[in-house]
Amino acid sequence: MKTPIALFLVFLSFTAALAWPPETKPFPVVVPMEILKTGHIVVAVKVNDKGPFRLVFDTGAPITLVTNKLAKEAGVSNKGLGPTPFGAAGQAKVKSMRVGDLEPVEVAVMIMDHPTVSAMSRFFGPIEGIVGHSFFARYKVTLDYQKEKISFEPNGFVPLDAVQNMMKQLLGKKAGPGVAAARGYWGFSFSTEEAAGLKIERVVPGGPAATAGLVKGDALISINERWIITPADFLHASENHPSGKKAILRVLRDGKEQQIEVTPALGL
Amino acid sequence: MTILRLALLLFFGASLAWSVQGQGAARRSFEVPYRLSTSVHLVVRAKVEGKGPFNLIVDTGAPVTFLAEEAAKKIGLKGDENLWCQVEHFELEGGLVIPKTKLRLETPFQLKGMNGMAMAGMELHGLIGYDLLARHRIEIDLTRDRMIWTPLDFEPKRPLGIGGKGKSSAGGLEVVGSIMKTFGALMGMKPPLPPRARGALGLELLDKEGQLLVGRVFPGTAAMQSGFQKGDILLFFNGQKVSSFEALRKKTLDTSSDKPFSVLVERAGKKVTLEVSWEEGF
């Protein structure tokens, strides 16, 4: 009885998705997480409808990796880069990879017999790879080690290519540092001396900071619980804070912490 | 390219042993800001014993939590003979305090390699692994700039190590770390400098049906000196047509901090060109 109902639900949501794509809210898919004695998380993954295979779920892995054995069984072919260290056979595209009842997705993988994966397989049974950023980035992922469950909910994020990113960084180096600016106008400036935190040097009369009660000499501690230690921290926090929205600042004034709410204005 | 790709796999299974005690904190969720490094690692900032902050990778592939030797030295932490150190106060940005936790004071070879080649675009100081992660429910959504961490009333089992003490489980991958470090040093690779602040004008704007109007000009600011007036309609900024505030803001990032630029405004039916320079501030 369960299966037909599940099937029916899948069909229902599928048709709904076809009819009103923007309104359909994808639902989270919850799957068991197996926790190995080493503390690693293992999830069951289907590759090209083969499997499920046991793969390690690794938020520290930028790429997804499959063993040569999995590649062979699931028909994942590489571009033939010739022999590389650690049996790494280069990059490949997996046509369909999925966890639980998620829609299958195409994922860039690397085919390689990672020595740690091989070692783990010897202790804990066959493990055929590592699920990294190139797969999990497209989901809101919730890890619950206590319930031993992971949930996945599609979030529309397109995974980034770490290698491309790094090449860009290497090539873009000569261009010098980038320029950043707050998303709104705050109406103050910092002292250039950075002895005791970021001290406010000037508060523009009538500006958002002045209206909120910020005064010269206040040392910024945090904005919306983001630590402000360097000017770059303030730039990053204010870049992420839209104008017209209240920000909670913690400042040190006369040795006491104070909380001040500033609403940056639309402006420059 | 291949070495870069290989290097990306390094974080997996960083050295092994066990640790951890700690009390369950109150059940409240914390919004923990993170950054995605150039190498697409999830990096959070932590203060240890009130010092720092240190950049740590959230790594379910690491069994324990590592703090690089140099960072530990800066704080004055000393490990026992197995490199473990009990810390009283471990705080993640976003307000999450984890009392009494054990850190492994060791620089995993992966970090040496990554930092040596400046692969992450920032200096990395450690990894947060299973022992600390498992005490929380963690929500990761890359469309948001914060993760959500909820402390659980749960004591995870100590992770076991594969292989004996001092034995590697990375099967020779360590070599890649030191190759990268040497290579990076030879090439003079360093993380990029932090961005330069653009500056401010002292101008409040109103976005009215695709037109940007000057709402206020704050006294004593660059905007006032440049001659902006309330009601001016912004037409061109630095020779480019102004459409929306967000588009304007992007254009402002292409200006130089020490060279003036022009802004064309409409004032009482007439076109007026203003010469404008940034001043320090936000």
Side-chain angles (χ1 to χ4, degrees), chain B residues 27-269:
Chain B
R27 286 229 196 170
R28 127 170 203 218
S29 290
F30 294 85
E31 301 225 330
V32 178
Y34 71 93
R35 291 203 207 189
L36 209 53
S37 70
T38 311
S39 51
V40 303
H41 287 106
L42 300 157
V43 181
V44 294
R45 300 202 293 176
K47 285 186 186 170
V48 182
E49 310 292 31
K51 306 245 174 71
F54 300 105
N55 295 326
L56 308 178
I57 294 178
V58 173
D59 186 2
T60 60
V64 298
T65 300
F66 289 87
L67 185 67
E69 288 152 55
E70 268 178 52
K73 214 185 263 172
K74 247 189 223 164
I75 318 172
L77 292 181
K78 278 211 180 88
D80 62 16
E81 67 273 21
N82 293 316
L83 307 173
W84 290 109
C85 179
Q86 168 97 25
V87 297
E88 299 301 317
H89 194 93
F90 184 94
E91 183 179 0
L92 285 186
E93 188 169 20
L96 174 57
V97 175
I98 301 163
K100 293 200 195 310
T101 190
K102 271 191 176 174
L103 300 180
R104 176 104 165 179
L105 307 183
E106 185 185 357
T107 316
F109 67 89
Q110 300 89 335
L111 274 193
K112 282 182 199 157
M114 296 270 300
N115 284 333
M117 273 180 73
M119 281 170 67
M122 60 177 90
E123 178 84 13
L124 298 171
H125 305 105
L127 314 171
I128 300 183
Y130 164 79
D131 62 349
L132 227 146
L133 298 174
R135 289 148 74 185
H136 303 88
R137 187 173 61 239
I138 301 169
E139 188 184 302
I140 301 166
D141 182 350
L142 293 181
T143 60
R144 297 199 54 210
D145 61 358
R146 293 175 188 234
M147 298 182 204
I148 301 172
W149 289 51
T150 312
L152 300 172
D153 191 14
F154 171 58
E155 204 48 60
K157 284 187 196 128
R158 296 159 164 183
L160 269 188
I162 303 177
K165 194 183 151 194
K167 254 193 177 172
S168 149
S169 63
L173 267 181
E174 294 93 333
V175 180
V176 183
S178 56
I179 293 173
M180 283 160 61
K181 196 182 174 189
T182 319
F183 182 64
L186 285 175
M187 302 271 294
M189 291 171 171
K190 279 188 200 136
L193 293 165
R196 169 176 74 75
R198 177 202 65 195
L201 292 180
L203 208 55
E204 191 176 313
L205 298 169
L206 304 166
D207 204 337
K208 272 196 183 156
E209 289 140 26
Q211 273 196 333
L212 278 180
L213 295 170
V214 173
R216 282 176 85 180
V217 183
F218 293 104
T221 60
M224 182 150 270
Q225 273 168 27
S226 314
F228 279 102
Q229 287 180 17
K230 187 180 172 180
D232 286 353
I233 303 167
L234 266 61
L235 300 177
F236 281 83
F237 180 91
N238 207 10
Q240 286 172 293
K241 209 168 180 316
V242 170
S243 49
S244 68
F245 177 70
E246 219 13 72
L248 169 69
R249 204 185 80 85
K250 279 208 183 97
K251 279 175 200 142
T252 65
L253 299 179
D254 295 331
T255 55
S256 140
S257 55
D258 41 12
K259 267 190 234 135
F261 50 91
S262 69
V263 178
L264 184 71
V265 299
E266 192 183 308
R267 183 181 298 162

Side-chain angles (χ1 to χ4, degrees), chain A residues 246-262:
Chain A
K246 197 168 68 186
I248 297 171
L249 274 63
R250 278 199 298 134
V251 300
L252 202 62
R253 181 184 297 169
D254 304 325
K256 271 188 216 136
E257 257 188 57
Q258 305 228 1
Q259 191 167 302
I260 292 174
E261 292 175 357
V262 181

Side-chain angles (χ1 to χ4, degrees), chain A residues 35-41 56-65 81 84-86 88 90-91 110 112 114-117 119-120 122-124 129-130 133-134 136-148 155-157 159-167 169-170 173 176-192 202 204-208 211 221 223-240 243 250 265-268, chain B residues 1-2 4-6 8-13 16 27-28 31 33-42 45-47 52-53 57-63 91-95 117-121 130 133-143 145-146 152-154 158-163 169-173 176 189-207 212 216 218-222 234 237 245-246 248-249 252-253 255 278-282:
Chain A
I35 303 173
L36 299 182
K37 284 185 176 153
T38 52
H40 290 97
I41 300 170
V56 174
F57 180 87
D58 186 358
T59 59
I63 47 189
T64 297
L65 180 135
L81 291 183
T84 41
F86 304 102
Q91 270 224 309
M110 187 164 165
M112 176 192 174
H114 192 294
T116 309
V117 173
M120 286 164 74
R122 281 197 297 279
F123 282 88
F124 309 115
I130 299 171
H133 173 94
S134 57
F136 77 75
R138 40 189 116 208
Y139 306 100
K140 176 169 113 183
V141 176
T142 308
L143 303 168
D144 193 324
Y145 285 87
Q146 188 173 25
K147 290 188 183 141
E148 303 191 3
N155 63 0
F157 188 87
L160 300 169
D161 186 324
V163 174
Q164 259 180 33
N165 264 0
M166 291 186 296
M167 297 303 281
Q169 183 190 300
L170 287 178
K173 208 44 143 330
V179 181
R183 266 168 79 192
Y185 181 66
W186 293 67
F188 70 86
S189 67
F190 290 123
S191 153
T192 37
R202 172 180 173 223
V204 173
T211 308
I221 299 168
I223 294 184
N224 295 334
E225 301 264 15
R226 272 179 200 277
W227 294 331
I228 309 297
I229 294 148
T230 65
D233 290 336
F234 178 77
L235 275 174
H236 183 70
S238 61
E239 243 183 343
N240 280 296
S243 59
R250 278 199 298 134
L266 186 83
L268 302 171
Chain B
M1 292 291 267
T2 310
L4 284 182
R5 219 162 251 135
L6 266 178
L8 287 177
L9 293 168
L10 288 177
F11 277 93
F12 182 65
L16 296 158
R27 286 229 196 170
R28 127 170 203 218
E31 301 225 330
Y34 71 93
R35 291 203 207 189
L36 209 53
S37 70
T38 311
S39 51
V40 303
H41 287 106
L42 300 157
R45 300 202 293 176
K47 285 186 186 170
I57 294 178
V58 173
D59 186 2
T60 60
E91 183 179 0
L92 285 186
E93 188 169 20
M117 273 180 73
M119 281 170 67
Y130 164 79
L133 298 174
R135 289 148 74 185
H136 303 88
R137 187 173 61 239
I138 301 169
E139 188 184 302
I140 301 166
D141 182 350
L142 293 181
T143 60
D145 61 358
R146 293 175 188 234
L152 300 172
D153 191 14
F154 171 58
R158 296 159 164 183
L160 269 188
I162 303 177
S169 63
L173 267 181
V176 183
M189 291 171 171
K190 279 188 200 136
L193 293 165
R196 169 176 74 75
R198 177 202 65 195
L201 292 180
L203 208 55
E204 191 176 313
L205 298 169
L206 304 166
D207 204 337
L212 278 180
R216 282 176 85 180
F218 293 104
T221 60
L234 266 61
F237 180 91
F245 177 70
E246 219 13 72
L248 169 69
R249 204 185 80 85
T252 65
L253 299 179
T255 55
W278 298 110
E279 65 181 7
E280 250 181 66
F282 308 95

